[in-house]
Every structure is written in C-alpha cells, then in structure tokens.
Amino acid sequence: TLIAATGAFAQSSVTLYGLVDASLENVKGTDSLTRVSSSNYASSRLGFRGVEDLGSGLKAKFVLESAINVDTGENGGKAARFFDRAAWVGLEGAYGELRLGRIDSSIGLLAGNSAILGAQAYDDLKIADTFAVSKYRRVDNAITYVLPTLAAGLSAQVQYSTQVSGSELADTDEGKAFGLNVQYAAGPFGAGLGFINAAESDEEDDQGVLVYASYDFGAAKLTGYYNQDDRDSEDEKRSLYGIKVGIPFSTNFSLTAGVSKVSNVNFVKDADATIIAIKGVYNLSKRTALYGLLTTVDNDEGSSLGLVTTASGKSSHGIAFGIRHSF
C-alpha cells in the first residue's frame, strides 16, 4: 500500500505493508494444550519501507518492521523493541548496497526464507534452537554490504556487527560478529551458504554454518540442507541435516513433507532427535491462504525438543490449522 508520494518528492515513496497469521493448534509434550497462536506459518508483522531516487543510479532506502502477536495484539518481539524485526537505512548504487542497523544475520537470512527452509514454530531449525533461528536470527548494530550482481542468479553479502545485541561494550571484543551469505538461483536449481562468527566473550566464539541446495523437477521440488553450531565452551557441535519434498498438486494447493536429524541437542553428546514435518497450503488468492501443519519430534535420551515443554527422551507433536493474509 503506497501511503506517501508527493510532487515535491516525485521520486520518493513510502510503503506500508504487513502480514497477519493466526491458527488454532493442539501441542503435546509433557502436557497437552489447545490454544490460538500467532505466526505458526509465517511471522505476523507490520512494516514500512521507503526509497528515494537520488539520481545517477543512487538510491536511499530504509526498512522499519515490527513483529505482532495476533492472538493477543502484543508486540511479537522483545518488549523493549518496537521495530524488532528490522530497523535499517542504506544507500544503493552501481557498486552494491550499504545498510546500517538491525537486520537479518548472514545465517538468519537463509533460515527465515520460508520458501526454502523456515524459521517458524513448526520448523525443525526453530525446534532445534539453532543459532540461525534463535540467538543469531538477527543482529543489532550491523554494517551490511550487499555486493552488486556479479553473475546472473548470484547474490552475496558480507556483514559486521559492532555488538550483536544491545549497546557496544568498550575495550572488549565481546558481542562483535562477522558473517557472509552467498546464494545462487538459476532455472530449477538453487543453493546457498551462510556463516557467522560471533564473540561470546573475549576468549570464546560462537560459529554457525547453514547450507542448502534445491532442485525443482516440476512435479516436485527437492531441498537438502545442513546446519552446524559450534560453541567454544562446549565439547560437542550441534548439527542438523534434513531433506524436504514440496509437491504442487494444483495451482492453489501445495504439500511439503520433510524429515531431519538433530545431533548433540543443546551441545550434549549423543542427545539426538528426529523431526518429521508436513505442511499443506491452499491459496485463496495471492494474499490469503489457508494452511495445516503437523510436526512430530522423537527424542532420544538426553534430548527434550518439542513445541512445548517435553521430558527427556519423550516424544512431542503439534498440529495447527490457520489463515495467513498479507497486505
């Protein structure tokens, strides 16, 4: 929705946009619970984006975006933040784009793309609490440089944060992070890689790697992916690998099924889990869809993953039916 464009600023525009997602779900872990929830298929949000053509191929841009809990009307992010999903300003030209502010991390950019992987409650990357979806889904104080198009279908960015969460700390490397993201999409083939290295303290670093490859055969789209989180203070590396198949049964209806294996849950050796997820989406229009989600988690001893609190070694599941509308 275009909400600002005047004659005095003929080459400037501000767009209001958003997404509303709500569902009725039943989740079971240690206990069973039926509830109305927000953002199970896609994150509910309200945002503003703007662009001004400065001439000679140079543009000024910004994005301010806030999460919303549709079930309660509350802010869906951290209480102290209004624009918790994005708050950045930048310049774009022939030599790429520079963005300053809170933004998707190099690994969060991949995980958050629901057309490829997904970072919602019923997605395996979220259930496994991976860095790409939890601790480093987005970063504060970021300097992000998006490279110009070097080849058809190829995109890349590099990123540095002076403090991934909150305000900068003097005389320490704690909280600083750097990362990179590379993606390629040409015809039916797609692939991507994201990496982040963040200083947990002056002595210890967190590292996260997320890679995927996909191929669309027409009758079905196959996607394979791998995530690894490494924390210096832990002996074990947490890893997740999975595969999913998406089938378009008609113009309006598609079904996606996937299975993944999580190793060393919470960095505990031999604490493993298997996650199976099924997602069905029926598009009523370009903006409105009905959906159904089913996810089951089979925990080995030492693992307690689930959509709600789950005892070690016990299984967990969730089923949801909802509606998503974008504007």
Side-chain angles (χ1 to χ4, degrees):
T1 303
L2 188 64
I3 65 173
T6 68
F9 301 94
Q11 302 302 312
S12 178
S13 67
V14 176
T15 302
L16 168 69
Y17 66 94
L19 188 146
V20 184
D21 179 304
S23 59
L24 178 64
E25 67 174 347
N26 177 267
V27 289
K28 184 177 181 180
T30 302
D31 299 306
S32 181
L33 178 64
T34 299
R35 62 190 178 189
V36 174
S37 292
S38 176
S39 306
N40 275 332
Y41 173 59
S43 296
S44 298
R45 72 200 76 164
L46 179 67
F48 303 86
R49 68 168 65 95
V51 59
E52 181 184 13
D53 191 339
L54 302 173
S56 301
L58 188 64
K59 296 179 181 179
K61 303 170 71 175
F62 78 88
V63 172
L64 299 171
E65 190 173 292
S66 179
I68 300 171
N69 283 336
V70 177
D71 53 327
T72 62
E74 297 173 310
N75 181 280
K78 297 182 178 179
R81 304 173 186 261
F82 187 76
F83 294 114
D84 55 289
R85 287 180 55 86
W88 59 264
V89 63
L91 290 174
E92 178 184 4
Y95 297 100
E97 183 176 350
L98 179 66
R99 301 172 179 176
L100 300 177
R102 179 169 172 80
I103 198 168
D104 288 345
S105 73
S106 53
I107 53 177
L109 185 63
L110 290 182
N113 189 335
S114 58
I116 302 172
L117 298 177
Q120 305 310 116
Y122 281 68
D123 292 320
D124 51 4
L125 292 172
K126 175 71 173 179
I127 293 171
D129 196 37
T130 62
F131 285 162
V133 175
S134 56
K135 190 173 183 179
Y136 301 110
R137 171 67 178 86
R138 297 177 178 87
V139 289
D140 295 346
N141 306 299
I143 305 164
T144 305
Y145 172 57
V146 182
L147 278 68
T149 301
L150 303 176
L154 180 65
S155 61
Q157 69 174 43
V158 292
Q159 188 176 71
Y160 178 76
S161 171
T162 55
Q163 180 65 226
V164 295
S165 180
S167 301
E168 287 82 356
L169 304 174
D171 303 321
T172 178
D173 288 332
E174 182 179 343
K176 294 177 172 56
F178 64 87
L180 62 87
N181 177 289
V182 180
Q183 296 185 71
Y184 179 75
F189 176 74
L193 177 148
F195 169 81
I196 191 171
N197 186 99
E200 176 69 11
S201 67
D202 282 336
E203 293 78 27
E204 298 182 346
D205 289 347
D206 288 341
Q207 291 186 349
V209 177
L210 179 59
V211 297
Y212 81 89
S214 65
Y215 195 90
D216 192 339
F217 295 90
K221 181 179 180 180
L222 184 66
T223 303
Y225 50 100
Y226 176 76
N227 179 95
Q228 180 177 281
D229 297 332
D230 186 9
R231 176 169 286 164
D232 283 351
S233 60
E234 305 290 347
D235 293 331
E236 306 301 326
K237 297 178 181 180
R238 175 175 56 200
S239 62
L240 180 153
Y241 56 91
I243 189 169
K244 60 176 63 177
V245 179
I247 302 175
F249 284 94
S250 69
T251 303
N252 296 325
F253 178 67
S254 63
L255 187 69
T256 302
V259 59
S260 59
K261 181 77 172 182
V262 189
S263 299
N264 302 328
V265 172
N266 292 329
F267 303 100
V268 176
K269 185 177 181 179
D270 297 328
D272 301 335
T274 301
I275 303 172
I276 298 174
I278 300 173
K279 180 185 304 183
V281 181
Y282 185 83
N283 294 307
L284 299 174
S285 69
K286 290 183 178 180
R287 295 188 173 186
T288 304
L290 301 176
Y291 64 83
L293 309 172
L294 173 64
T295 293
T296 65
V297 183
D298 182 16
N299 289 298
D300 291 347
E301 196 63 36
S303 174
S304 56
L305 299 182
L307 284 85
V308 289
T309 301
T310 304
S312 174
K314 302 298 182 182
S315 62
S316 173
H317 76 259
I319 185 170
F321 297 96
I323 182 170
R324 182 227 69 208
H325 175 76
S326 60
F327 60 91

